[in-house]
Amino acid sequence: MDALVMCGGRGTRLDAPVEKPLVDICGRPMLDRVAAALRDSSVESVRAVTSPHTPNTRDRAADLGLDPIEAPGDGYVSDLGFALARVSRPAVTVVSDLPLVAPEHVDAVVAAADGGAATACVPVELKRELGASVDDALVFDHERTAVCPTGLGVVGPADADGETDAETNTDTNTDADTNTDSTMYLSTDTRLALNVNRPTDIALAEDRCE
């Protein structure tokens, strides 16, 4: 199975001196951490989806052997669709701002997808307890619990016509093929609850990184 690291966004909320995927968490760029987790998982290949907004990330991805896919940079949904057209499916997708993602998380979501689509989510309450940033636009109700996507998921197979449309949000993916039901993978693992979107999230991640 192919895996895509989504790292083409502007990252304006983080206001960092480097491109967002290159922000260090405990001495290692987030891109390096996510790529290492994927490579230690069951996925077969890892590619980085960059854009004109992240030229230094593209160079770093090439150094890591990630074979970058240069997307147009027109937004998460557009870039994801562009990348999906260039890999086999199902495919794992993960945002580059999830620095504590681990191989076991990836494998658990792949298992939950079972050849289809799956979305990893965490309870909003968990993020708020940690003090992690929450994008209210991404919050939804699941069995009377407010949850939000982590940015880790599996996009299911394309339909019979080869379409690659995915039902996603614009920041953290809730990947699901338009013709395939997406399985919910709900986790209370704090490592999946820490997306680095704001400066305060960096300190939270560094307090918990290995």
Side-chain angles (χ1 to χ4, degrees), residues 88-196:
S88 61
R89 292 172 59 179
V92 171
T93 64
V94 60
V95 289
S96 61
D97 62 23
L98 192 65
L100 305 187
V101 65
E104 58 264 31
H105 298 141
V106 178
D107 289 342
V109 175
V110 170
D114 193 24
T119 303
C121 294
V122 294
V124 172
E125 182 180 1
L126 175 62
K127 291 179 73 76
R128 297 200 189 283
E129 287 175 353
L130 292 171
S133 61
V134 177
D135 188 340
D136 290 333
L138 305 180
V139 175
F140 64 98
D141 183 77
H142 174 68
E143 297 181 352
R144 299 184 180 180
T145 298
V147 302
C148 59
T150 66
L152 170 64
V154 176
V155 179
D159 64 25
D161 295 324
E163 295 294 331
T164 57
D165 292 339
E167 186 177 313
T168 61
N169 64 57
T170 58
D171 189 21
T172 310
N173 49 331
T174 54
D175 301 321
D177 184 81
T178 52
N179 296 318
T180 306
D181 291 334
S182 182
T183 297
M184 168 72 72
Y185 176 78
L186 185 61
S187 174
T188 56
D189 190 324
T190 57
R191 293 174 294 176
L192 285 179
L194 291 172
N195 295 95
V196 176

Side-chain angles (χ1 to χ4, degrees), residues 71-82:
D74 295 332
Y76 184 93
V77 173
S78 176
D79 285 0
L80 177 59
F82 182 91

Side-chain angles (χ1 to χ4, degrees), residues 44-60:
E44 297 170 354
S45 68
V46 183
R47 303 187 69 179
V49 183
T50 60
S51 79
H53 308 306
T54 54
N56 295 327
T57 298
R58 180 181 63 246
D59 292 343
R60 180 59 185 167

